[in-house]
Amino acid sequence: MREGHVISETLPDPSERLTAAFRAAAARMQGLDVVNPALAVEAVGFAPWDEHWLGVMLTPWFMNLTLLPRNPRAWQPLATGAKRRHTFPAGEYEFVGANDAAVGAYQVCSLFSPVHEFADQETARLVATLAREALFDAANGEDDAERGVGAESPLRRRLEAPQSKRDFLRGRLRGGDDAERG
């Protein structure tokens, strides 16, 4: 090691511990109205982003973008319930601080809660994957003319707008342009 060179600790992919923690919660929640029995707990698409781990946590009661530390030195924890905006090519998204004894500190941005609109795990997983990918597509962003106080992001509006199965299968986000994609 060179003098003055600091090697920072990198934390491992959090998918396994997130899955274990939320499976334990799911066992306690069985039978509640908020639970979609067609869905299971799954950590979807966790990968490094800006010195953190970013993915989508899918449970039978919610689907959240989830951010956890990868480089502990770069992590800025939030108190439970506190909010922070993170900027992606598709725009700014508000994340809320959370903490769990098994998981540690993390931040979430709700995509769906509850998740009754999903008929099966495969569909929910596909939506989770597309939502994460859409964060990094600047075409899903808003320009300065679209920004307004309290306005929701274009990506969130597209995810929540009605969509035909044909458009979904062609890879179009709801409310997007009508141009065919190759």
Side-chain angles (χ1 to χ4, degrees), residues 12 17-18 23 32 51 72 75-76 78 85 90 100 105 142 147-149 152 154 160 164 168-169 173:
R17 66 189 151 109
L18 282 166
R23 278 187 181 151
L32 296 179
E51 299 199 68
W75 182 253
Q76 295 176 352
L78 285 176
R85 292 185 155 291
D100 179 86
E142 57 190 22
R147 293 181 198 265
V149 176
E152 289 191 29
E160 293 174 353
S164 73
F168 181 78
L169 293 172
L173 285 177

Side-chain angles (χ1 to χ4, degrees), residues 64 77 85 95 98 108 120 126 130 145 178:
N64 290 341
R85 292 185 155 291
F95 283 71
V108 296
D120 56 54
L126 179 58
L130 292 173
D178 290 330

Side-chain angles (χ1 to χ4, degrees), residues 1 5-11 51 70-74:
M1 176 162 63
H5 181 70
V6 177
I7 297 176
S8 65
E9 173 189 3
T10 299
L11 299 176
E51 299 199 68
R70 189 167 79 85
N71 175 352
R73 292 177 165 216

